[in-house]
Amino acid sequence: MGWNKILVTTLILFFFYIFSNAVEVSYDGRALKIDGERKLIISGAIHYPRSTPEMWPSLMKKAKEGGLNAIETYVFWNAHEPLYRQYDFEGNLDLVKYLKTIQDAGLYAILRIGPYVCAEWNYGGLPVWLKSIPNMVFRTKNDAYMNEMKIFTTMIVDKVKGENLFANQGGPIIIAQIENEYGNVIGKYGGDGKSYINWCANFAESLNIGVPWIMCQEDDAPSPMINTCNGYYCDQFTPNNNNVPKIWTENWTGWYKGWGDKNPHRTAEDVAFAVGRFYQYGGTVQNYYMYHGGTNFGRVSGGPYIATTYDYDAPLNEYGEPNQPKYGHLKELHAHLMSMEKILTYGNVTNKDYGNMMSHTIYNYNGTRVCFFGNANQNDAITINFEGTNYTVPAWSVSILPDCKTQVYNTARVSTQTSVMVKKLPDEAKEKSHYNLEWSWRVEKFEHLKSHHLKGVTYANQLLDQKLVTNDTSDYLWYMTSFEIDEDDPVCCEDINLQVQNSGHILHAFVNGKHIGTKYAQGGSYSFWFERAAKIKKGINQISLLSVTVGLQNYGDHYDNTQNGILGPVNIIAPNSREKDLTNNKWVYKVGLNGFEQELFSEKGKKRKWHPNIPLNRRFVWFQTTFRTPRGEEPVVLDLWGLGKGTAWVNGHNIGRYWPSIIADNNGCSTSCDYRGSYYSSKCTTGCGQPTQRWYHVPRSFLREEENDLVLFEEFGGDPRNVSVHTVTVGQAIAHAYEGNSLNLSCNGGRVISDIKFASFGDPRKVYGTLRKGSCHSPKSLSMVKKACVGKESCSIDVSERTFGPSGCRSSVKRKRLAVEAVC
Ligand code: GAL
């Protein structure tokens, strides 16, 4: 064979290899089509920087086992380009590796590039350095913005294309998104908003990615951009074009948590109901936001005031473990929906409204039928007669009948176990004394408080926007000024009040080097007045204000213009009401804190001198200790109860801001949660009067085999002596199943069921959350369940008299059931 032939054959083989998995993605008014075939897409959001590459394969595996066929993620511009033209695609920012992990798991990908993303992400994903480009206005017809958006978006598309990751290249990506929820703000940008969104559409199209583009929450989305729905319920949504499928980009599985907030919960029944309704009413692409929320490591959270946990009450919890029963209940639903894929996407549809919010939908494909019975009445179960048979559908639920005869699934009947997660000390901790952590400490040096004459700092005769001065490289910025007082000065030499207006988010004030007070934003408003007494002296006085941000704003029209830090005025008020306004004084700006600069949290920091005898409740100190890696596979968390507020590092990895001293409001929690009726984020909350976040995730990949370094920067003062290392695991598994079914139980992470605390086959009930025997009960209940389950990782029990013998139930007990509480 000549060289030419070899080259041609190699090229053909190469292209065959590259394009062998290539598929064509198109759509019509009904569904997304893959190689011409209509598909149901059940997707889940998992943001790659909110976990670690080591966690990705297992997250994908669980997502797939949970019945998803796609994973969605945003792309986070300010994480990838933190400084102008300095890029980062390493570690958990390795987007290409992430997409390949999705593909390796046999899943499709939905890539929401944005690049504005919202997402409770710092500054909505946009880099702060953008603001230093002249004439920059975010998210509107603005050349400077459009130019930068174009450069970043093109780079991402090229990167992804270069790796053949779009579906038409054999990759997993079947849909891409440009912008995010622009429809919510477009009105505020006038005609420029409309021009901008048209530009976005043309620009996206010009990138030739070979798969459809979507715009979520954008009724004006210009064709061929597909407008899609976000929300708790999207069954009533219709796209702005008849020739596009009904797509739900964000089905909020719970909600995010802000510092000071309670824990939001959305029930499995309600999420399943919303999904059931969506597919009943012709939806064909749905994405859970979030399927796995994960953790806001480092400084990535924005809002502001978003906690480090981004658990979201998602089907996979913060640590990547099933959140039961939500995960399992949805898994069952997905299996039923997928089994009906052909009929749902090709069948003729007929709907019937029974009144009272009750309806049925029949999909008929060449005589094969599937039925949905939907009851959106939030109070009453409704019985309908369908083709001669009576069916009762519980309130606020959807029943699925894959043959239009048998209700195989009802969204309000949960048969998956409820797993009660517990945090426990590692077993070895009980044996060994070295689990009593030994702490040492250093002070954060504030030498500049004595003299503001510093090198390499910014000066201005005004109060500057904090994020512009720090360029978002730190949460901390010093605003410092001095003023001279002579005897004639009206405010001379008295006890004064220092008054400062601040917009974010924490202020520590010092006068002549002495800390006079700290105040932080509370109650949802981020600007506040600070006023404290201080003493000033004749001669030079120094005012030093340490302003601290807790993530930058991420949402709203013109959100980028929200000023951070000390807004002014800054006043000295004498008792006789005379004032001295320092707002336009000469201000000296110093970014960051010394300990951060010296990297006290890293190996470098270890070489410095740390002292024994830690001070308690002292502000601005660094603590250091070491701890052993808990054995096993279970997720690891730090209990930071007792500390104030600050940042924590494990082996140099920033595990995020901590703030266990911020306590959630005492009111509005409930021990039970009614799944019926529309959900809203404050509907079912727990954790009243508790720290917003006490437990902080340390991914196992951050840990060394034996000994780990833990460093804390404590800003408010606290007591680290209670800090401890725990693992998270299923403590109890509670499940019930009706006769004729099987009851399944399992523990996580290879652990076995150690005991059965309760088992009753008959008519057991729940009294104040505790299982109790009812009017009848098979005496063999407990022994049979123990026999079947104790010592096993999981077990399945046939719920019948064959297993348990007679239960002695009267005929009035229509459906016997088994209820079990197992200890893991
Ligand atoms: C949506 C937004 C998401 C996320 C969500 C709340 O409006 O598109 O990015 O912020 O709200 O979790």
Side-chain angles (χ1 to χ4, degrees):
M1 216 170 2
W3 279 111
N4 277 353
K5 272 198 180 155
I6 293 178
L7 189 67
V8 170
T9 322
T10 320
L11 277 177
I12 290 173
L13 283 175
F14 174 71
F15 282 109
F16 179 73
Y17 171 69
I18 292 291
F19 292 108
S20 55
N21 297 320
V23 290
E24 189 214 358
V25 185
S26 58
Y27 56 85
D28 59 17
R30 193 71 180 266
L32 204 71
K33 296 202 279 185
I34 308 246
D35 278 344
E37 276 282 303
R38 289 183 185 147
K39 291 284 173 198
L40 282 190
I41 302 295
I42 304 179
S43 168
I46 304 182
H47 298 155
Y48 50 98
R50 284 177 159 142
S51 54
T52 61
E54 292 77 7
M55 289 168 73
W56 295 342
S58 126
L59 293 173
M60 300 307 149
K61 186 164 172 266
K62 287 178 191 135
K64 192 160 186 197
E65 283 169 7
L68 302 193
N69 58 5
I71 300 296
E72 178 269 323
T73 184
Y74 281 128
V75 177
F76 301 90
W77 185 358
N78 55 10
H80 292 302
E81 195 177 352
L83 298 173
Y84 182 72
R85 302 299 181 256
Q86 290 182 32
Y87 297 103
D88 187 356
F89 287 93
E90 298 295 311
N92 68 351
L93 295 177
D94 192 340
L95 173 63
V96 166
K97 182 170 182 178
Y98 185 69
L99 292 167
K100 287 185 176 169
T101 311
I102 295 176
Q103 184 166 30
D104 290 345
L107 295 161
Y108 295 123
I110 298 177
L111 192 64
R112 299 206 290 159
I113 303 178
Y116 165 73
V117 296
C118 197
E120 289 69 75
W121 192 266
N122 193 33
Y123 217 31
L126 299 182
V128 167
W129 55 255
L130 283 172
K131 293 300 275 184
S132 56
I133 297 176
N135 305 320
M136 174 65 62
V137 189
F138 283 11
R139 302 179 73 205
T140 185
K141 186 175 168 290
N142 170 274
D143 288 340
Y145 182 74
M146 293 188 302
N147 184 44
E148 285 299 326
M149 170 169 168
K150 193 168 164 181
I151 293 170
F152 179 74
T153 309
T154 309
M155 185 196 62
I156 293 296
V157 165
D158 286 349
K159 203 175 189 53
V160 167
K161 257 195 207 168
E163 298 282 342
N164 298 306
L165 290 167
F166 284 108
N168 64 339
Q169 302 176 292
I173 305 169
I174 52 168
I175 295 175
Q177 178 178 297
I178 192 89
E179 252 294 341
N180 191 74
E181 294 194 331
Y182 197 65
N184 292 359
V185 295
I186 190 168
K188 297 282 165 68
Y189 292 91
D192 280 358
K194 184 79 191 138
S195 310
Y196 166 65
I197 212 68
N198 287 336
W199 173 84
C200 288
N202 289 331
F203 162 58
E205 267 301 285
S206 75
L207 292 168
N208 280 320
I209 59 170
V211 302
W213 282 101
I214 56 170
M215 283 183 170
C216 65
Q217 292 283 93
E218 175 45 62
D219 293 345
D220 273 354
S223 177
M225 302 293 111
I226 303 175
N227 83 311
T228 67
C229 181
N230 291 351
Y232 290 116
Y233 309 93
C234 276
D235 49 286
Q236 298 305 311
F237 168 76
T238 29
N240 62 7
N241 177 337
N242 288 335
N243 303 318
V244 304
K246 174 164 160 176
I247 301 180
W248 188 1
T249 23
E250 292 182 23
N251 175 359
W252 300 322
T253 50
W255 201 239
Y256 56 80
K257 188 156 66 163
W259 293 118
D261 288 355
K262 296 163 260 189
N263 294 335
H265 298 284
R266 186 179 180 199
T267 60
E269 291 92 329
D270 184 50
V271 181
F273 168 71
V275 177
R277 298 274 292 176
F278 182 69
Y279 286 94
Q280 173 180 359
Y281 288 111
T284 48
V285 182
Q286 190 255 173
N287 177 56
Y288 293 106
Y289 188 100
M290 302 295 296
Y291 194 73
H292 169 251
T295 309
N296 289 312
F297 299 114
R299 302 177 53 247
V300 305
S301 72
Y305 262 46
I306 296 295
T308 293
T309 176
Y310 197 60
D311 180 86
Y312 222 91
D313 200 23
L316 294 175
N317 68 18
E318 178 179 2
Y319 321 111
E321 299 295 336
N323 170 13
Q324 299 283 41
K326 199 177 272 183
Y327 173 85
H329 190 48
L330 294 173
K331 172 182 168 146
E332 268 181 63
L333 172 58
H334 303 152
H336 292 301
L337 291 169
M338 279 304 183
S339 74
M340 314 185 314
E341 181 178 34
K342 187 95 191 173
I343 308 167
L344 292 182
T345 52
Y346 285 89
N348 294 329
V349 189
T350 46
N351 285 309
K352 179 173 170 180
D353 193 347
Y354 292 81
N356 211 5
M357 312 286 279
M358 178 72 207
S359 64
H360 82 218
T361 304
I362 305 172
Y363 286 84
N364 184 333
Y365 181 59
N366 295 336
T368 312
R369 300 186 311 161
V370 303
C371 287
F372 289 86
F373 294 164
N375 178 5
N377 187 300
Q378 65 180 73
N379 299 314
D380 303 318
I382 293 176
T383 302
I384 55 167
N385 188 283
F386 178 76
E387 298 180 347
T389 308
N390 281 345
Y391 295 90
T392 299
V393 184
W396 202 255
S397 79
V398 176
S399 282
I400 294 179
L401 300 80
D403 57 358
C404 287
K405 288 200 176 72
T406 327
Q407 300 190 62
V408 297
Y409 182 89
N410 176 273
T411 58
R413 294 199 180 112
V414 179
S415 60
T416 301
Q417 74 180 37
T418 296
S419 299
V420 181
M421 303 307 282
V422 292
K423 317 275 191 305
K424 63 172 190 89
L425 280 172
D427 292 338
E428 58 278 21
K430 293 165 201 151
E431 307 150 16
K432 290 184 190 156
S433 57
H434 61 226
Y435 266 87
N436 293 327
L437 305 180
E438 271 183 37
W439 293 93
S440 54
W441 73 289
R442 277 175 70 88
V443 70
E444 167 64 29
K445 292 219 170 80
F446 288 160
E447 274 144 359
H448 56 282
L449 293 187
K450 292 176 200 126
S451 159
H452 292 165
H453 295 291
L454 299 166
K455 281 195 201 124
V457 293
T458 308
Y459 295 89
N461 284 329
Q462 56 175 326
L463 292 161
L464 300 175
D465 184 347
Q466 175 160 352
K467 65 178 162 308
L468 302 185
V469 182
T470 63
N471 201 19
D472 199 30
T473 54
S474 172
D475 283 358
Y476 299 93
L477 179 66
W478 287 98
Y479 289 70
M480 299 177 288
T481 195
S482 48
F483 57 95
E484 200 170 350
I485 297 271
D486 56 36
E487 260 146 43
D488 312 330
D489 200 297
V491 296
C492 178
C493 320
E494 298 183 62
D495 290 334
I496 52 99
N497 265 7
L498 173 68
Q499 189 192 55
V500 181
Q501 204 198 350
N502 183 291
S503 77
H505 302 120
I506 300 171
L507 172 66
H508 305 282
F510 299 78
V511 173
N512 294 328
K514 199 171 166 287
H515 177 250
I516 62 156
T518 289
K519 189 168 177 179
Y520 58 88
Q522 261 178 311
S525 160
Y526 301 107
S527 65
F528 58 86
W529 283 93
F530 170 93
E531 190 163 341
R532 274 314 139 78
K535 279 194 189 326
I536 52 169
K537 57 180 197 238
K538 202 167 82 186
I540 307 275
N541 290 276
Q542 318 261 15
I543 306 278
S544 316
L545 306 173
L546 177 61
S547 173
V548 189
T549 49
V550 188
L552 301 179
Q553 190 160 332
N554 71 328
Y555 183 69
D557 62 282
H558 301 96
Y559 77 90
D560 47 307
N561 294 334
T562 310
Q563 189 168 337
N564 297 95
I566 314 293
L567 287 182
V570 176
N571 283 324
I572 300 289
I573 305 174
N576 52 13
S577 304
R578 282 169 305 198
E579 278 187 25
K580 193 175 188 70
D581 184 351
L582 303 177
T583 311
N584 293 317
N585 253 34
K586 179 173 170 193
W587 288 89
V588 180
Y589 294 87
K590 179 176 152 48
V591 178
L593 297 178
N594 296 323
F596 283 72
E597 217 166 276
Q598 294 165 353
E599 297 181 27
L600 289 183
F601 45 81
S602 72
E603 286 296 318
K604 275 190 208 162
K606 271 168 101 176
K607 296 193 191 106
R608 300 199 172 248
K609 193 157 170 41
W610 294 76
H611 313 285
N613 306 326
I614 51 165
L616 302 182
N617 301 317
R618 173 164 165 182
R619 282 175 203 282
F620 314 117
V621 289
W622 292 79
F623 291 118
Q624 174 196 261
T625 189
T626 56
F627 68 91
R628 289 284 170 118
T629 300
R631 287 202 282 268
E633 304 281 301
E634 284 156 0
V636 176
V637 288
L638 290 178
D639 180 0
L640 297 186
W641 180 231
L643 290 169
K645 188 247 166 203
T647 303
W649 294 262
V650 170
N651 298 329
H653 299 274
N654 186 331
I655 64 165
R657 299 184 185 103
Y658 67 80
W659 198 345
S661 65
I662 196 164
I663 306 292
D665 178 17
N666 237 325
N667 302 308
C669 289
S670 52
T671 45
S672 63
C673 173
D674 190 345
Y675 71 87
R676 298 171 305 170
S678 290
Y679 180 72
Y680 45 90
S681 62
S682 59
K683 184 174 172 187
C684 294
T685 51
T686 59
C688 280
Q690 303 287 319
T692 293
Q693 188 177 352
R694 168 174 175 177
W695 306 96
Y696 295 81
H697 183 207
V698 185
R700 281 221 172 241
S701 61
F702 289 1
L703 296 174
R704 303 195 188 113
E705 218 163 279
E706 286 284 323
E707 193 124 292
N708 306 286
D709 299 317
L710 168 62
V711 177
L712 308 172
F713 170 62
E714 176 54 60
E715 182 184 323
F716 280 10
D719 180 353
R721 289 174 306 179
N722 291 327
V723 168
S724 53
V725 184
H726 284 64
T727 57
V728 187
T729 183
V730 180
Q732 290 148 282
I734 300 159
H736 62 90
Y738 285 97
E739 191 172 19
N741 297 300
S742 30
L743 181 140
N744 301 308
L745 286 174
S746 67
C747 295
N748 272 355
R751 289 171 62 245
V752 295
I753 297 167
S754 63
D755 194 13
I756 302 295
K757 264 176 92 180
F758 176 90
S760 173
F761 174 64
D763 67 342
R765 29 200 90 151
K766 226 182 199 175
V767 183
Y768 295 115
T770 312
L771 293 173
R772 296 273 163 79
K773 277 178 218 165
S775 65
C776 54
H777 166 80
S778 154
K780 284 212 269 172
S781 302
L782 189 64
S783 61
M784 292 312 289
V785 176
K786 279 192 173 177
K787 202 167 137 202
C789 300
V790 172
K792 299 193 179 146
E793 279 179 35
S794 62
C795 58
S796 179
I797 306 152
D798 167 40
V799 184
S800 69
E801 294 206 341
R802 280 191 306 278
T803 312
F804 293 103
S807 62
C809 292
R810 284 200 219 119
S811 58
S812 58
V813 177
K814 291 241 165 48
R815 296 182 78 198
K816 290 192 277 288
R817 56 194 195 104
L818 170 67
V820 177
E821 182 186 327
V823 183
C824 285

